[in-house]
Amino acid sequence: MLSVQFKSGDKMNKRPMGLRASSARAGLSTAGMTLCAVAVLSACGGGGGGEPAPVTPPVVVVTPTSAPAVAVKSSLPYRVSGGSALVEIVMPTDIKSGETLAVTVNGTDVSAVFKDGTTAGTKIGLVTGLKDGDNALSAKVGSSAATALTLTNYPIAGPISSGPQVTPFICQTGTLALPDGTKLVANATDPNCSAQTNVQYSYRTTGEVFKPLTDTKTIPADVKLIKNAAGAMVPYIVRVETATIDRGIAQITMLFDPTKDVEPTPTTQPKNWNKRLVYGHGTGCVGGWYIQGGVFGYNPMNDTWLSRGYAVANNTLNHPTNACNNVLSGEAASMTKEYFIKRYGAPVYTISTGTSGGAIASLQLGDMFPGLFDGAIIDATFPDVITIAQSGADAHLLSNYFASNLPSATSFTPAQKATLSGYAAEITLVANGNQMGRTDPVPGRTAPTFAGVGNYASAVWNAAVPVPLRYDPNASPPNFAGARPTIFDIGSNVYGKGTNPLDPSGKTTIGLRTYDNVGVQYGLSALNSGAITIAQFLDLNANVGGFDTDANPVTSRTVGNADAIQRANQSGLLLNGGGGLSSIPILDVSNIYGEDTSNYHMQWEHFAARERVLQANGNADNYVMWRGGNGTAPTAANPAAPIAALSANSIAAFEKWMEAIAADKTADAQRTKVIRNRPADVTDGCFDKSTVPQFIAEKQTLGTSGSQCNILWPSYKFPRMEAGGPLASNNLKCQLKPVDLADYKVSLNATDLSRLRTIFPGGVCDFSKPGVNFTKVVPWASFGPSKVNLVFDVTK
């Protein structure tokens, strides 16, 4: 359930000063009782002869009932979508006889929708008919004061906080296949790619495949029976609900027996559901622009989780190959989970999971949107796409230099190239350099090749995007107005826009870029270790160059946009680790190992993600890392080798951790609960390479020696770290300092020193300091239209 909730009615237990609870219940004040006693004495003649004194009537003070507390269970109150909200009301404990709950929205009585909640003393109701914008909810009980709450509603098509909607945007609603083989029925006249909500059923057969269930009144003879959360054997039948949310296609699956279960609501939940949710994220990034997506990256018909009783949710915009922009995908995930809660009720907890690009999404969304997820179990980890792009650009510059005809470039041996880059082998350097393609908008680019490494891919497009809509500066005539296929352009609501300096007309704009290599001393560690000569070091840094805004190689170093860098930090597109990740458990597993192959899932990227959590919180005790296992890494000889799924033991270990946290009902901080409740056997370690892998419990560190795991699974560095940069790789633009001879373990003569200062006229990187405009993530940041936590509005 969303742990971040708004509650009002904090004064519900306060009474007027000087009033005792017992006298209040009797309806008399202390003063009133005293006056009554005086009147009795007078009537008995205590005041002497004559007429009796008039009797003063008692003063009756009725204490009003305490005000109820109100909370939105489905979302934050300022981020409601789709015209409805699931609202919980905590009833006061001092209700008078005959008093009832009265709730209004915009002056209309909606009391009838509130029913007894699952927690004693609560009422819960789905409030519908909300208008776009602010809606006034008021709740009172009998004589209590009214508790007011503003619900800010947005259309189900969005946006809420991701900024102006992406254009162009290609609808693919009618291409998504449903369990029975049919397609969603698209609303053809709606530019927001909407479709009719669809509910179907599938069942798992004894042959371990899913089949459509067309007769919902009969249990098929070949249905598989599984044990539900209550321990009963039940038919393995899945309810599949598909809807369009935030212009993406969302799908929710869970165990459901249509022959017995009633229509699900937050108070009539499916009996076979274990009340827990898994939110899955797809893989990739390249090509993830300007489309709705006609496929899911993480299959909601997921036997791994469904067979355990979990519900599974996904949205096509949570597949990075459809949408490589986690500000947008985070909005889509929060709206999809909101829809889920309004439909089925709040889960006990939500697990986020994904591989590669899905690991990025799990970490980033968990950090950017605290409370959206309660835990993350991830595989083939990267910190974020910016980090891939930065290390890819560095590696690509080095590959370009080594492939040049410069005499200095040809002097490097393969071993030297690997050493100064940080990678285990030259093949890995080139493979990682190819990852810069997601920042290259120019189609048909050629780049250095290497045996066993696939060709460099620039301007990768989904075929659904028509060619005339695509940016192409080399077309005849050039199309500078086309959409640009890069992470900076698809995320321009965050990074900002500037005039395209390569467009002669000066009329088109591009997304601002964060890449910066001013002051970076490539190969510094190799120089200091004696692996390369002073001449090689100087020649490399004099000629390595940079890239322009179209990713064309240029002789000068690249200057990143400082404002874009700041917003990358604030938005969380550069993973921070100090937002939501500070208080959720994380299990990071490595089923891919290919440090000296053409693979680009490097071990250092796992360590970089954990290092950011450590830096932001003082420790990373909520982040457990497992390496090795039953995966097969793609290699040059077998590039199509599969990526292994999460192992049963990793899921079981993570479930144990999640259940222990959920059972902790103390008032302690969530981070404290997460760390305190980590099971003793859920700890850092690796698996050996035996036929039946054995776990070695050992603190995981970056390196090639010093521990059993580092010998079994050695991990290498990357170009920016070999230049003196941090393992966290979160310094996008370094602060500069003057050249200092103390930084070099070799002797530089006067000529060398003069040349070094010529190469770096503004100074060299001072990695002892945070990067330029490094700052914390803004939780639930907005880029419009929501004004709450508004970081930047690209329209202004």
Side-chain angles (χ1 to χ4, degrees):
M1 126 186 6
L2 278 174
S3 61
V4 181
Q5 295 178 357
F6 179 92
K7 297 195 175 186
S8 55
D10 292 335
K11 299 180 180 179
M12 58 183 290
N13 295 317
K14 294 185 178 181
R15 297 185 175 91
M17 292 181 63
L19 193 65
R20 292 180 179 271
S22 58
S23 61
R25 291 193 186 97
L28 298 175
S29 69
T30 305
M33 290 187 288
T34 302
L35 287 172
C36 184
V38 171
V40 171
L41 287 172
S42 299
C44 293
E51 293 295 324
V55 177
T56 302
V59 177
V60 179
V61 178
V62 178
T63 305
T65 299
S66 302
V70 183
V72 181
K73 303 296 288 183
S74 48
S75 70
L76 293 164
Y78 58 85
R79 293 180 64 102
V80 175
S81 69
S84 61
L86 186 65
V87 175
E88 181 184 70
I89 296 176
V90 180
M91 301 292 282
T93 57
D94 55 349
I95 301 175
K96 312 287 188 302
S97 176
E99 291 187 328
T100 58
L101 174 67
V103 184
T104 63
V105 174
N106 298 329
T108 300
D109 191 308
V110 296
S111 308
V113 305
F114 285 87
K115 311 296 181 185
D116 288 338
T118 55
T119 303
T122 64
K123 299 283 186 180
I124 194 164
L126 183 64
V127 176
T128 61
L130 301 178
K131 64 183 180 180
D132 289 347
D134 290 345
N135 296 262
L137 183 146
S138 177
K140 61 177 297 185
V141 177
S143 60
S144 77
T147 300
L149 181 61
T150 299
L151 307 178
T152 306
N153 177 66
Y154 295 88
I156 194 65
I160 296 177
S161 59
S162 63
Q165 290 182 321
V166 171
T167 57
F169 192 76
I170 308 303
C171 296
Q172 297 175 287
T173 317
T175 67
L176 187 125
L178 297 169
D180 66 356
T182 62
K183 308 292 185 182
L184 273 179
V185 179
N187 297 329
T189 60
D190 186 349
N192 289 317
C193 309
S194 65
Q196 298 175 18
T197 298
N198 180 284
V199 176
Q200 294 187 9
Y201 298 90
S202 290
Y203 72 97
R204 187 83 168 174
T205 71
T206 52
E208 300 296 346
V209 296
F210 283 112
K211 284 185 177 180
L213 178 69
T214 54
D215 181 359
T216 58
K217 296 181 179 179
T218 305
I219 302 295
D222 62 340
V223 72
K224 179 180 180 179
L225 297 179
I226 58 172
K227 187 179 292 185
N228 68 8
M233 297 304 293
V234 297
Y236 192 164
I237 302 175
V238 180
R239 187 181 195 272
V240 184
E241 182 167 353
T242 310
T244 48
I245 299 173
D246 205 17
R247 297 202 301 177
I249 305 170
Q251 195 166 85
I252 295 164
T253 57
M254 64 168 55
L255 294 179
F256 188 96
D257 184 350
T259 69
K260 294 182 178 180
D261 289 341
V262 299
E263 183 69 11
T265 71
T267 54
T268 57
Q269 299 169 333
K271 296 177 181 178
N272 295 331
W273 175 37
N274 70 0
K275 310 303 184 290
R276 287 140 179 84
L277 174 65
V278 167
Y279 204 101
H281 307 270
T283 59
C285 167
V286 176
W289 10 83
Y290 311 106
I291 59 173
Q292 179 185 41
V295 296
F296 295 109
Y298 191 89
N299 186 6
M301 293 299 296
N302 192 297
D303 175 61
T304 297
W305 296 108
L306 290 170
S307 63
R308 286 172 165 79
Y310 289 82
V312 181
N314 194 217
N315 188 305
T316 54
L317 297 182
N318 295 121
H319 184 18
T321 302
N322 294 334
C324 191
N325 172 8
N326 278 335
V327 168
L328 173 59
S329 71
E331 177 182 83
S334 67
M335 291 174 70
T336 300
K337 185 177 177 183
E338 176 191 6
Y339 180 94
F340 177 94
I341 293 172
K342 291 188 289 190
R343 194 77 176 88
Y344 301 98
V348 174
Y349 56 71
T350 301
I351 294 174
S352 181
T353 188
T355 292
S356 190
I360 291 174
S362 290
L363 289 175
Q364 281 198 303
L365 271 58
D367 206 40
M368 296 157 70
F369 303 95
L372 178 60
F373 303 133
D374 303 297
I377 179 169
I378 54 177
D379 176 31
T381 301
F382 297 99
D384 50 61
V385 176
I386 294 178
T387 300
I388 301 172
Q390 176 176 269
S391 60
D394 285 341
H396 201 56
L397 284 175
L398 295 175
S399 296
N400 285 342
Y401 169 73
F402 292 136
S404 71
N405 294 322
L406 292 170
S408 59
T410 61
S411 72
F412 288 85
T413 67
Q416 287 178 315
K417 295 175 186 178
T419 298
L420 72 86
S421 72
Y423 298 111
E426 187 178 0
I427 186 175
T428 319
L429 165 65
V430 177
N432 278 267
N434 282 355
Q435 296 313 300
M436 198 196 86
R438 69 199 71 211
T439 68
D440 190 339
V442 180
R445 176 101 61 192
T446 59
T449 59
F450 194 92
V453 179
N455 291 331
Y456 176 80
S458 60
V460 178
W461 286 98
N462 187 289
V465 182
V467 172
L469 297 181
R470 305 177 186 180
Y471 180 85
D472 188 351
N474 298 325
S476 183
N479 185 2
F480 288 105
R484 289 164 56 91
T486 78
I487 62 171
F488 299 116
D489 293 283
I490 200 67
S492 61
N493 286 348
V494 175
Y495 300 114
K497 295 180 179 181
T499 301
N500 184 351
L502 303 178
D503 178 5
S505 75
K507 295 180 179 179
T508 58
T509 60
I510 61 174
L512 301 177
R513 297 184 157 226
T514 63
Y515 181 72
D516 186 291
N517 70 338
V518 175
V520 176
Q521 300 183 83
Y522 293 105
L524 178 61
S525 294
L527 171 68
N528 284 334
S529 69
I532 62 175
T533 68
I534 295 173
Q536 286 177 314
F537 172 74
L538 294 173
D539 287 341
L540 166 64
N541 282 285
N543 293 288
V544 71
F547 298 104
D548 67 14
T549 54
D550 265 6
N552 298 304
V554 293
T555 57
S556 60
R557 297 293 182 106
T558 301
V559 179
N561 184 277
D563 291 335
I565 289 170
Q566 178 171 317
R567 292 190 289 269
N569 280 276
Q570 292 171 312
S571 67
L573 287 180
L574 182 76
L575 180 70
N576 179 265
L581 290 190
S582 66
S583 56
I584 68 172
I586 304 162
L587 179 56
D588 180 333
V589 302
S590 301
N591 282 328
I592 296 178
Y593 182 82
E595 295 286 287
D596 58 354
T597 71
S598 62
N599 193 264
Y600 56 88
H601 292 85
M602 301 287 99
Q603 296 295 292
W604 73 262
E605 286 147 339
H606 296 252
F607 288 104
R610 186 169 72 172
E611 186 72 9
R612 296 187 195 181
V613 173
L614 185 152
Q615 287 183 0
N617 302 287
N619 65 63
D621 293 346
N622 62 318
Y623 196 122
V624 173
M625 187 182 294
W626 288 2
R627 288 198 286 166
N630 61 354
T632 302
T635 63
N638 185 18
I643 297 174
L646 293 171
S647 61
N649 62 342
S650 65
I651 292 174
F654 196 66
E655 283 181 313
K656 184 162 61 171
W657 194 358
M658 293 296 298
E659 291 298 323
I661 297 166
D664 188 338
K665 303 302 182 184
T666 66
D668 292 336
Q670 187 66 15
R671 177 174 172 81
T672 300
K673 293 183 183 182
V674 167
I675 295 173
R676 180 173 62 215
N677 288 291
R678 193 182 83 190
D681 57 346
V682 181
T683 186
D684 263 22
C686 69
F687 292 89
D688 65 19
K689 298 182 179 181
S690 57
T691 304
V692 180
Q694 300 299 303
F695 186 72
I696 302 169
E698 198 173 72
K699 182 69 175 178
Q700 296 302 286
T701 59
L702 182 77
T704 60
S705 62
S707 70
Q708 294 182 73
C709 294
N710 280 354
I711 293 170
L712 285 168
W713 311 103
S715 50
Y716 295 82
K717 300 178 184 178
F718 52 99
R720 196 67 64 111
M721 191 173 183
E722 288 295 327
L727 170 58
S729 192
N730 54 0
N731 188 318
L732 296 183
K733 181 180 179 67
C734 67
Q735 298 191 51
L736 299 177
K737 66 177 183 177
V739 171
D740 185 350
L741 286 176
D743 292 338
Y744 309 95
K745 296 181 180 179
V746 294
S747 297
L748 300 177
N749 60 36
T751 301
D752 296 332
L753 185 58
S754 175
R755 189 179 182 201
L756 186 61
R757 287 172 173 157
T758 300
I759 294 169
F760 297 104
V764 296
C765 285
D766 184 354
F767 285 118
S768 68
K769 297 178 180 178
V772 172
N773 282 348
F774 178 80
T775 188
K776 294 180 179 179
V777 63
V778 176
W780 295 90
S782 175
F783 297 86
S786 174
K787 298 297 189 293
V788 181
N789 300 327
L790 184 65
V791 169
F792 177 65
D793 184 347
V794 74
T795 66
K796 298 179 180 178

